[in-house]
Amino acid sequence: MSVIHELNKDSSVKRNVKGFKWFVTGLVILAVAGASLTIVPAGNTGVVLTMGKVSATSFQEGAHFKIPFVQTVETMSNKIQVYETPASAVSKDLQTVSSTLAVNYRLISDKSPDMYKNVGIDYQTVLITPVVQECFKSATANYTAEQLITERQAVGDEVKNALESKLNGYGIYIEKFNIVNFDFSEEFNNAIEAKQVAEQNLLKTKTEQEQAIVIANAEAEKKVISAKAEAEAIMAEAQANADANELLEKSLTSKVIAYQQIQKWNGVLPKVTGSDNGMLVNIDLDDIQNSSPDYIYTEPQYIPETDNVN
């Protein structure tokens, strides 16, 4: 296939300048369009600079148009960021405290232009670092070393409130503040350990004493209960005996006593009897016969009863 070229008067090949001009024009248009379009990533704010001057308006996340070659856009993150730093301070009782602090913060979107204008993009170094150190030292000075350990949450809340009061005005919002750890001097750590050991020993001794008291009280109560039960048993037995004697006394009439005597008599007369003056008299018949021969004992005679005749 043959190609026909248009020739100039000097027999040189004539160039297609018109097509080249359209190509260049297209490139210029694309460059202008590219310079006119900006995209702000998610979680960021676009600070608009017009000839280096911060504009009052800012771009939120997404695509936006700007004046090409006149305006530029600087993105500032509004996501939660973590700032962690070592810190040292002195407690109320003059103990040196070393700690690691962690601050979760974010830049408020509406405050991004002012932050860029007044501080710049390195606001963490310019603002957050010195403020965190200052607030931590100030709060630590209000607590003893022991309180810093036992009341860590209160110390953290105090530091967080101080950070908010100093940084919120710049548009920095404190999400969370953590005291990662506390570290004290070796002497203080040894003193704390010795105190804990002493408290444990005291608690152990107190517990043992309380247990001994409980056991002693239990034994004493046991003895009291036993003595009370024994006394109640004696009283019950005595009451039963008294009731039995009373019942027996009421049942013993003269006829019953006489009947019992007759039932138990073996046919032998008693050898001793009482007298009116309380003396006992020996009435043994053998002795009487031996000592008084004139005295003759005769069997008693039964005399039938007869009716009295008037």
Side-chain angles (χ1 to χ4, degrees):
M1 179 178 175
S2 60
V3 179
I4 299 174
H5 296 282
E6 186 178 357
L7 299 176
N8 295 320
K9 293 180 178 181
D10 58 354
S11 299
S12 61
V13 178
K14 190 176 183 180
R15 298 179 180 278
N16 190 0
V17 180
K18 185 177 181 181
F20 179 75
K21 290 180 178 179
W22 280 110
F23 177 74
V24 173
T25 303
L27 289 178
V28 172
I29 292 173
L30 289 176
V32 172
S36 301
L37 181 66
T38 185
I39 297 177
V40 179
N44 289 265
T45 298
V47 179
V48 180
L49 304 177
T50 304
M51 301 296 292
K53 181 180 179 181
V54 177
S55 301
T57 60
S58 59
F59 293 157
Q60 301 302 313
E61 56 189 40
H64 301 273
F65 288 101
K66 61 183 179 64
I67 302 173
F69 312 113
V70 176
Q71 290 182 328
T72 57
V73 177
E74 292 287 345
T75 58
M76 299 189 72
S77 176
N78 302 123
K79 298 178 181 179
I80 296 177
Q81 303 179 63
V82 179
Y83 170 68
E84 188 169 314
T85 181
S88 61
V90 178
S91 64
K92 187 176 181 179
D93 53 352
L94 303 181
Q95 292 291 332
T96 302
V97 183
S98 299
S99 182
T100 301
L101 310 178
V103 184
N104 292 4
Y105 71 94
R106 63 181 177 86
L107 180 62
I108 300 174
S109 177
D110 295 341
K111 295 289 186 177
S112 297
D114 292 336
M115 178 64 73
Y116 186 88
K117 179 180 179 179
N118 299 323
V119 180
I121 60 175
D122 196 17
Y123 53 88
Q124 183 181 100
T125 303
V126 177
L127 286 178
I128 297 179
T129 298
V131 171
V132 168
Q133 295 289 338
E134 177 188 353
C135 293
F136 177 70
K137 293 179 187 295
S138 178
T140 303
N142 297 327
Y143 298 85
T144 63
E146 185 174 355
Q147 288 174 334
L148 291 175
I149 299 174
T150 59
E151 302 179 23
R152 175 181 290 194
Q153 184 62 46
V155 179
D157 291 341
E158 185 172 336
V159 176
K160 182 175 183 292
N161 294 334
L163 290 174
E164 290 176 344
S165 66
K166 291 181 178 294
L167 296 176
N168 282 4
Y170 291 96
I172 298 175
Y173 179 76
I174 305 300
E175 293 282 350
K176 192 174 182 180
F177 175 81
N178 288 320
I179 300 175
V180 179
N181 70 293
F182 276 122
D183 191 16
F184 301 92
S185 63
E186 184 177 356
E187 292 79 8
F188 179 77
N189 291 333
N190 293 335
I192 289 294
E193 183 178 357
K195 181 179 179 181
Q196 290 177 342
V197 171
E199 289 178 350
Q200 291 296 328
N201 292 335
L202 179 61
L203 180 61
K204 180 181 178 181
T205 302
K206 184 178 180 181
T207 302
E208 292 176 351
Q209 291 176 348
E210 291 177 349
Q211 290 177 347
I213 292 173
V214 170
I215 294 174
N217 290 339
E219 291 294 332
E221 186 176 356
K222 182 178 179 181
K223 291 180 180 180
V224 170
I225 294 174
S226 177
K228 185 177 180 181
E230 184 177 357
E232 290 178 352
I234 294 174
M235 290 294 296
E237 183 179 0
Q239 185 64 41
N241 292 334
D243 293 342
N245 292 336
E246 183 179 359
L247 181 61
L248 181 62
E249 182 180 357
K250 291 181 180 179
S251 63
L252 290 177
T253 62
S254 58
K255 292 182 179 182
V256 172
I257 295 173
Y259 175 76
Q260 293 291 336
Q261 290 176 344
I262 294 172
Q263 291 295 323
K264 294 182 178 181
W265 186 42
N266 56 4
V268 179
L269 291 175
K271 296 181 181 181
V272 179
T273 186
S275 62
D276 293 339
N277 58 3
M279 296 182 64
L280 296 178
V281 179
N282 187 1
I283 56 173
D284 190 348
L285 295 180
D286 296 335
D287 293 340
I288 295 175
Q289 290 177 356
N290 295 331
S291 60
S292 302
D294 296 334
Y295 178 80
I296 299 174
Y297 172 75
T298 60
E299 293 288 341
Q301 300 295 322
Y302 173 74
I303 301 175
E305 293 182 0
T306 56
D307 294 335
N308 293 329
V309 179
N310 293 328

